[in-house]
Amino acid sequence: MAAAVAQGFGGPERVEVVRVPIPRPGAGQVRVRVRAAGLNPVDGGVRAGVFGGEGQRLGFGWDVAGEIDELGADVDGWAVSDRVVGLHYGTVKPLGTHAEYAVLDASALASAPVAVDGVTAAALPLSGLTAARAVAQLELPAGSTVLVTGAAGAVGGLAVQLAARAGYVVTALAGADDEALVRSLGAAHFVPRGAAPAAAVDGVVDTAVLGGPALAFVRDGGAYVGLIPGAAPAAERGVRVVEQEVAADGAHLARLVSLVDAGELTLRVARTFPLAEASKAHAHLADPGTRGRIVLTA
């Protein structure tokens, strides 16, 4: 099968599509025929060597949308040809979902949404689970004020929607041209990038990884949720600082799928590339104007 990998660290030019053996599922696993797979910032970090793996073949891809192709032993509740979405967790791995086939734990899968196509569905797993866990870890009462930084991004946009749905009064911090977008996602207030909210907020979901400046917007005793382990600022003024880390959780993903199917969660795809153009897709990963997820199709 074809798979996008890198044999060393560097820029997009290190990504190549090679032929590798089709993987087989083990006990408790399934093989998915990949139809679409999101390209996420973490893939750029893997390529650049942020997570280590020197001397190893580096596979890319966490999100997957496709059909089950083969069942491993001891897998119940799934059948060949079932349409699924899932999260292939792990930074340093020889193969990810940027391939024609991917093997995942059955517990990482959920039935694919029926309200959107496979390309759009591929924008859900990593971004959706990250945003949902971050909002849940605010642990604030309904009616609290919450600021989402990077609110126009793929994760930030979902965090705005989920925070508003949780009953929070959401302020979105994003580029000046993004106000209409983030308000359409449920933000009650808007702050352009580089400015500060009019008053301190009860909590922040820092999808833009601003760190200290975002923490400064939180009232004493409030909550700050960061998305990258080890990158959160030190706690101060009684602010509870949480470092969110995503997990492959099929049951949680299924709840997000139900929101998509109910029209209560909007997914956004910025652009698509065929798997054969994975290197080109990586070159667009850091484009500042990207609003939504880049998706590879296989």
Side-chain angles (χ1 to χ4, degrees):
M1 70 171 185
V5 302
Q7 302 292 346
F9 304 145
E13 73 283 353
R14 298 308 300 262
V15 179
E16 55 182 330
V17 177
V18 299
R19 303 295 296 183
V20 299
I22 297 176
R24 297 294 304 276
Q29 297 182 319
V30 303
R31 186 171 69 198
V32 176
R33 174 63 174 95
V34 180
R35 300 301 178 183
L39 176 65
N40 292 275
V42 66
D43 294 306
V46 170
R47 187 196 69 231
V50 171
F51 305 101
E54 184 174 1
Q56 301 179 43
R57 184 180 73 188
L58 302 173
F60 301 104
W62 292 52
D63 300 307
V64 66
E67 303 91 39
I68 292 177
D69 171 75
E70 184 179 352
L71 302 174
D74 303 320
V75 172
D76 296 318
W78 295 109
V80 171
S81 80
D82 283 348
R83 293 181 59 248
V84 294
V85 290
L87 181 68
H88 192 302
Y89 182 89
T91 49
V92 179
K93 52 195 178 188
L95 290 173
T97 61
H98 295 174
E100 292 178 302
Y101 295 88
V103 170
L104 290 83
D105 291 340
S107 61
L109 298 176
S111 294
V114 297
V116 298
D117 61 20
V119 170
T120 305
L124 176 63
L126 181 57
S127 295
L129 288 169
T130 298
R133 287 170 66 89
V135 169
Q137 288 178 336
L138 287 167
E139 297 181 358
L140 296 168
S144 297
T145 56
V146 169
L147 175 72
V148 177
T149 70
V155 177
L158 290 171
V160 168
Q161 295 176 70
L162 292 167
R165 190 175 183 277
Y168 296 135
V169 180
V170 179
T171 296
L173 190 154
D177 296 335
D178 294 318
E179 180 173 3
L181 168 63
V182 296
R183 286 189 181 274
S184 75
L185 298 176
H189 306 289
F190 174 76
V191 177
R193 187 182 301 117
V201 295
D202 297 314
V204 164
V205 176
D206 189 17
T207 78
V209 198
L210 300 182
L215 180 68
F217 298 148
V218 182
R219 64 163 173 80
D220 294 358
Y224 168 100
V225 180
L227 303 189
I228 301 178
E236 60 179 47
R237 299 180 289 105
V239 175
R240 180 172 53 86
V241 173
V242 180
E243 294 180 332
Q244 189 280 150
E245 184 169 5
V246 74
D249 185 339
H252 196 173
L253 183 56
R255 293 194 290 273
L256 296 176
V257 167
S258 69
L259 294 179
V260 173
D261 281 338
E264 297 180 24
L265 196 62
T266 298
L267 304 174
R268 294 174 296 140
V269 173
R271 61 186 304 178
T272 64
F273 293 87
L275 176 63
E277 296 181 2
S279 179
K280 184 177 179 181
H282 272 253
H284 287 272
L285 189 57
D287 285 355
T290 300
R291 295 293 180 264
R293 182 60 61 225
I294 295 173
V295 174
L296 295 178
T297 57

